[in-house]
Amino acid sequence: MNKKSKPIITEKKVVADNTPFNWTPVYFIIIVFSFLLYANTINHDFTVDDGTVIANNNFTKKGIDGIKDIFTKSYRAGFWDRQEGLYRPLSVAMFAIEYQIGKGSPLPGHIMNILFYVLTSIVVLSVLKRILQNYHPLIPIAATLLFIAHPIHTEVVANIKSRDELLSFFFGILALKLLFNYIDKNKIYWIILSCFAFLLSLFSKESSVTWIGVYPLALWFITDKKIIDIVKLSIPYVVLFAVFMFIRMKILGTITGEQEILLINNSLVGAPNKASQLATAFGILARYVGLLILPASLVFDYSYNTIPNITFGSPLALVGLLLTVGGLIYAVRLLSKKSLIAFAILFYLGSISLLSNIFLTLEATMGERFVYTASFGFCLLVALILDKIFKISSSKNNVITFSSLIKPNATSTILLVVLLAFSARTFSRNGDWKDNITLLSHDVKISSESARIRYAYGSALLVEKALKEKDNNQKTIYLDQAIEQLSKGVSLIPNYNDAWYNLGIAYKEKNDFKNAVYAFEQARSYKAFDTDEKLSNAGIAYGNNGQLDKAIADLLAAIELNPNSYDNYNNLALYLGENKMYDASFKAFEKALQLKPDFDKAYYNRGNIFAQQNNFKNAIDNYKKAIELNSTYGDAYNNLGNCYAVLGIKDSSIYWFNESVKIDPSNAKAWINLGFTYRSLGDSSKANECLLKAKELGYSIPQ
């Protein structure tokens, strides 16, 4: 090993050596600050992509038992069976442990995200202290506080799924800190620990490979190591990356993890040519810088068509090109001078390079999480520029204490104003991440042209609100809102089969079966229905729309995929009966009841088929069995009343109609039936009272 190297002074400063500065209160402040900034996310729910790696992931839900599958499969293999080019087992393994501890609650996940952000803030300050050891203490403190408070980090901390980003940066910069320890203390275990931290960073996210460029750059800019020594120290990190890639290839089957990049995920796929694609990518780099400077409008999704494709004639593309290429040229020119401004620029550009859509086409157009690691370089650059403007490190003070540090001056005032603004924006944005509905209802206003947000918001209104709502009026409101959002989604991308399918569900729940059938047919025209659930829903829509042959065909296909679904047999039996295929219908009912002997709905539907055949005795027996199994089955009471009315037993029919409206006062059909039965008995007063109830429920009264 080389002898211990003394750090060199990279830029002339007159801050006294051995400055008696106490860092303990600074560490205490950043720990409290980073915790309090995100404390309001602790009780948040799962949001957006959390479902793919946590709430709806079969491996994660196994808890510790799922860890083997997590490390031997692609990133979201527990959620879907599509071929995927991502391998990030570390965060998902943590989710599995947290899922077991919290019994499916999001609380442990949010706590861990905040904890890792606090730990990150500690390491960031420690690294900046080392990088900026010849600067006034205010400079590393300013850079650290800017990093902690920056609102562009809210997605990474508030969204549990973004643990991959947190871990990737934490272990990557921890490896840098440990590498500095090795340089300063010349103990072999420090570089071993550094390499291990880097390996953990790779298992967190593949883009951690960019740290391989950061480590030698840091050694060049911060130490007096010769190039040959820097190369030697870099070799272990390159070897570990090769090991990681070998493991990844074995898991995914290919180096790249081949997958189709869809337009819905990345707008650049729809660019007319490579030049436009490149121009748009540079425009996105300009947008990142804009968000880092002024993080006002933040959204969780920038997919199609939030960012339209542009050409190099666009000012945005030219700004991005100038900032990127100009910054690179400027930094390279300063390499020999070992200017830390050059290091900050190169750190930023290198960290964002693989996520820029310039060298690789990603599964996303843009993402605030993509700039998380790179923002370290940005915050360092801002602090260095402040130092140059206000000449803080050139001050003649030989003694710097914590109390002198916090005395008001131009720099501290500017820093305080920015930190207050950033903190307020961060705290406010955290509130948007409370749950799916809150996040989506906010972001759809900012990113109204995002097909994915429209789809996600419409789906959340459908699944989380409408399908769980007991009040029919409120349910209709939610369904109308869902239909509005999903319709906008398919208008932005006409072949958006998932949005078409959910639109079909929304229309089906609203009993608008004509539009439900149309939406389902649009969905399956772009992608064939390959699950029993989809085929079953389409079959029900066809059946209620009077297209019985298509209903029967879809339900038979659904049963073939899932022969143990009593619901599918029940619906098949119903439509077979309505199609006058009675023998087949009753056989299907028998199968449904074999699978679920206490299936009240099957008895009710079988009663309907018997009534259709004018076999009222068997119809009555089936309705009564349905009521025996479910005493709140209002429609069964109503149909019992209808049977007795047809048989001329009006006292019994009145009894069952009354029972129906007791169970469900909103059953307008039962009120109408009851009213006409009273009218047939000559009781006009009660008849009018019942018919008025039906009218109040919004039903026109047949004459």
Side-chain angles (χ1 to χ4, degrees), residues 492-503:
L492 290 166
I493 298 186
N495 65 346
Y496 199 169
N497 66 291
D498 288 338
W500 277 116
Y501 175 74
N502 280 3
L503 185 59

Side-chain angles (χ1 to χ4, degrees), residues 505-518:
I505 296 292
Y507 278 123
K508 171 178 161 287
E509 289 295 318
K510 199 181 174 185
N511 296 325
D512 184 349
F513 298 109
K514 180 180 179 181
N515 278 318
V517 164
Y518 177 76

Side-chain angles (χ1 to χ4, degrees), residues 606-620:
R606 189 163 68 173
N608 288 341
I609 301 303
F610 277 124
Q612 183 178 311
Q613 293 179 289
N614 296 322
N615 187 343
F616 297 111
K617 180 183 181 302
N618 282 336
I620 288 170

Side-chain angles (χ1 to χ4, degrees), residues 286-515:
R287 289 175 184 269
Y288 280 133
V289 174
L291 284 176
L292 285 165
I293 295 171
L294 186 63
S297 297
L298 302 174
V299 293
F300 83 93
D301 179 80
Y302 291 86
S303 59
Y304 187 89
N305 194 26
T306 304
I307 301 174
N309 289 302
I310 56 178
T311 67
F312 278 108
S314 165
L316 193 64
L318 295 176
V319 168
L321 181 64
L322 178 64
L323 288 173
T324 305
V325 178
L328 181 62
I329 293 172
Y330 178 77
V332 169
R333 289 181 63 184
L334 291 177
L335 269 174
S336 60
K337 296 181 179 180
K338 295 194 174 185
S339 165
L340 289 183
I341 286 180
F343 173 72
I345 293 171
L346 291 173
F347 183 99
Y348 177 84
L349 292 176
S351 298
I352 206 169
S353 60
L354 293 182
L355 303 170
S356 65
N357 275 302
I358 291 176
F359 303 105
L360 298 170
T361 303
L362 307 177
E363 265 201 297
T365 312
M366 176 180 173
E368 291 160 19
R369 62 192 180 278
F370 293 165
V371 80
Y372 176 57
T373 295
S375 67
F376 173 85
F378 174 83
C379 293
L380 173 58
L381 179 62
V382 170
L384 290 169
I385 291 172
L386 282 174
D387 183 60
K388 278 196 172 293
I389 292 173
F390 295 103
K391 304 186 185 307
I392 302 163
S393 296
S394 299
S395 122
K396 300 294 183 181
N397 295 331
N398 290 324
V399 178
I400 303 171
T401 63
F402 182 75
S403 57
S404 68
L405 186 69
I406 60 177
K407 285 183 179 179
N409 55 52
T411 309
S412 61
T413 300
I414 291 172
L415 181 62
L416 181 62
V417 169
V418 172
L419 287 176
L420 286 173
F422 275 15
S423 299
R425 183 69 187 101
T426 294
F427 203 77
S428 170
R429 179 58 178 164
N430 287 343
D432 296 333
W433 284 92
K434 179 183 177 183
D435 53 47
N436 261 342
I437 297 295
T438 304
L439 176 67
L440 295 165
S441 62
H442 173 272
D443 285 15
V444 75
K445 298 171 186 174
I446 297 172
S447 188
S448 60
E449 295 304 303
S450 167
R452 183 186 293 282
I453 292 182
R454 294 288 188 174
Y455 162 71
Y457 187 27
S459 299
L461 286 166
L462 173 65
V463 176
E464 297 178 26
K465 292 296 185 180
L467 297 183
K468 296 179 180 179
E469 182 58 55
K470 301 300 182 184
D471 181 81
N472 287 330
N473 290 330
Q474 185 59 52
K475 179 177 181 177
T476 299
I477 292 172
Y478 287 138
L479 288 172
D480 286 340
Q481 292 173 344
I483 289 168
E484 178 187 359
Q485 297 300 326
L486 293 165
S487 296
K488 180 63 176 177
V490 297
S491 72
L492 290 166
I493 298 186
N495 65 346
Y496 199 169
N497 66 291
D498 288 338
W500 277 116
Y501 175 74
N502 280 3
L503 185 59
I505 296 292
Y507 278 123
K508 171 178 161 287
E509 289 295 318
K510 199 181 174 185
N511 296 325
D512 184 349
F513 298 109
K514 180 180 179 181
N515 278 318

